[in-house]
Amino acid sequence: MPETIAISGASGHIGGRVARLLAPSAARLRLLGRHVEHIAPIDGATTATIDFGDPTTVAAALDGVGTFFFVSATESADRAAQQAAVVNAAKDAGVHRIVYLSFVGAAPDATFTFARDHWYTEQAIRASGLAFTFLRDNQYQDIIPHFADADGVIEGPAGDGEVAAVTRADVADCAAAVLDSDAHYGETFDLTGPRAFTLRTATADMSEVLGRPFRYVEQTVEQAYASRAKYNAPTWEVDGWVSTYTSIAQGDLAQVTDAVPHLTGHPATDFRKFLATLPKDA
Ligand SMILES: NC(=O)c1ccc[n+]([C@@H]2O[C@H](COP(=O)([O-])OP(=O)(O)OC[C@H]3O[C@@H](n4cnc5c(N)ncnc54)[C@H](OP(=O)(O)O)[C@@H]3O)[C@@H](O)[C@H]2O)c1
């Protein structure tokens, strides 16, 4: 009997698209989320509740699962510890392979502070002895237009650094290809778009393709913190927001790879082509 594949984050962008791509094998699919009512149903697939902060839900959700597509959680102060506990629960439940959605440059001292959680999770997976594949995505192209304020201004300390941003759709296509194969055990892929660009170039592309003005305004790190103080967000979160830009400035997100075409057989989507798919008022 074919093994069960569990997909967390199935109500989200990546997990949802991966579930749709694997729908022809629906009888093998278990779709997981904190709120199963938010998961789009797929004929023949089952659903189960999983909350990474509640290990009993993790054990029940992964019982009998062979491969677990572990979509990283929304950022939180204790995400690294919660995700390490998920790995242990997955092992106890009998999972034999984890395909983990990580981030490029995951390291304990990564400039992009949210990438540190990914390193700790990768380490927990390695230490578990389970088979794994790490899919380290670059910045999503999809969210770059959302960096802009209502006036079309993207402000941050990104300097002249470049970002090899990738579409969510391409990331999901890579994940589906890996989950659908028995290959890629022990491999790590950096998932990128076909070119790296500065945020200044991104705003020029956005102006041209979306048909309204966008511009990039360089900030110092101090200005970046000051301009985000109005949100009254916790320090760990503001650190993550600001280091999104400083990691670009450092060149940490600049490397372009051929992982998307290698895994999917189709070219990685260019940012301008992605923008052309958006409604003009996006
Ligand atoms: N590369 C990038 O630029 C970038 C940007 C933002 C985020 N990310 C990371 O990439 C992940 C996937 O991206 P996406 O676009 O698919 O995100 P998304 O649309 O926000 O979906 C996230 C999914 O994860 C689930 N989830 C979040 N926290 C959870 C928890 N503690 N326990 C169990 N499930 C949880 C959510 O379930 P609910 O419906 O129950 O909330 C949702 O289904 C994100 O979760 C985040 O870790 C990457």
Side-chain angles (χ1 to χ4, degrees):
M1 197 174 120
E3 64 161 21
T4 299
I5 299 174
I7 299 171
S8 71
S11 62
H13 293 90
I14 302 288
R17 181 174 169 100
V18 171
R20 290 192 294 281
L21 290 167
L22 297 182
S25 315
R28 302 169 58 189
L29 294 187
R30 190 177 301 169
L31 309 180
L32 311 178
R34 283 183 293 193
H35 310 283
V36 288
E37 66 277 16
H38 295 164
I39 299 174
I42 289 183
D43 270 355
T46 57
T47 58
T49 303
I50 193 167
D51 182 336
F52 298 157
D54 178 354
T56 57
T57 66
V58 181
L62 296 179
D63 186 39
V65 166
T67 288
F68 172 33
F69 179 39
F70 186 177
V71 173
S72 51
T74 306
E75 297 79 9
S76 65
D78 56 355
R79 180 171 66 161
Q82 283 192 5
Q83 292 196 161
V86 168
V87 173
N88 291 333
K91 184 173 183 177
D92 291 347
V95 167
H96 78 85
R97 174 170 69 143
I98 295 180
V99 178
Y100 176 63
L101 188 67
S102 185
F103 195 83
V104 291
D109 57 353
T111 299
F112 179 42
T113 55
F114 292 158
R116 299 175 188 175
D117 296 349
H118 293 294
W119 185 82
Y120 286 108
T121 307
E122 288 185 0
Q123 291 304 110
I125 293 169
R126 286 180 188 277
S128 73
L130 298 179
F132 67 84
T133 307
F134 296 148
L135 300 177
R136 291 178 162 189
D137 56 34
N138 201 293
Q139 191 69 54
Y140 295 149
Q141 292 179 15
D142 313 54
I143 63 175
I144 291 177
H146 300 286
F147 288 176
D149 65 17
D151 298 320
V153 177
I154 296 181
E155 287 187 312
D160 292 322
E162 293 187 326
V163 55
V166 63
T167 62
R168 282 185 173 122
D170 284 349
V171 172
D173 291 358
C174 289
V178 168
L179 292 165
D180 208 21
S181 96
D182 272 332
H184 310 305
Y185 282 53
E187 294 186 75
T188 298
F189 296 97
D190 285 354
L191 308 182
T192 78
R195 68 182 163 102
F197 48 83
T198 63
L199 291 182
R200 206 175 298 284
T201 302
T203 52
D205 284 343
M206 286 156 54
S207 302
E208 211 176 303
V209 180
L210 297 177
R212 59 201 162 83
F214 290 89
R215 69 194 164 92
Y216 174 71
V217 174
E218 178 68 11
Q219 289 181 312
T220 64
V221 170
E222 293 69 27
Q223 288 169 334
Y225 275 95
S227 63
R228 287 152 179 82
K230 62 187 174 202
Y231 298 110
N232 284 320
T235 306
W236 65 264
E237 192 165 26
V238 184
D239 287 343
W241 295 342
V242 173
S243 63
T244 301
Y245 294 86
T246 51
S247 64
I248 293 173
Q250 291 237 135
D252 295 356
L253 304 188
Q255 198 191 351
V256 174
T257 74
D258 66 354
V260 169
H262 171 69
L263 289 172
T264 67
H266 67 65
T269 308
D270 187 79
F271 185 52
R272 289 176 67 92
K273 195 169 172 192
F274 165 74
L275 291 171
T277 67
L278 297 179
K280 287 283 185 273
D281 57 356

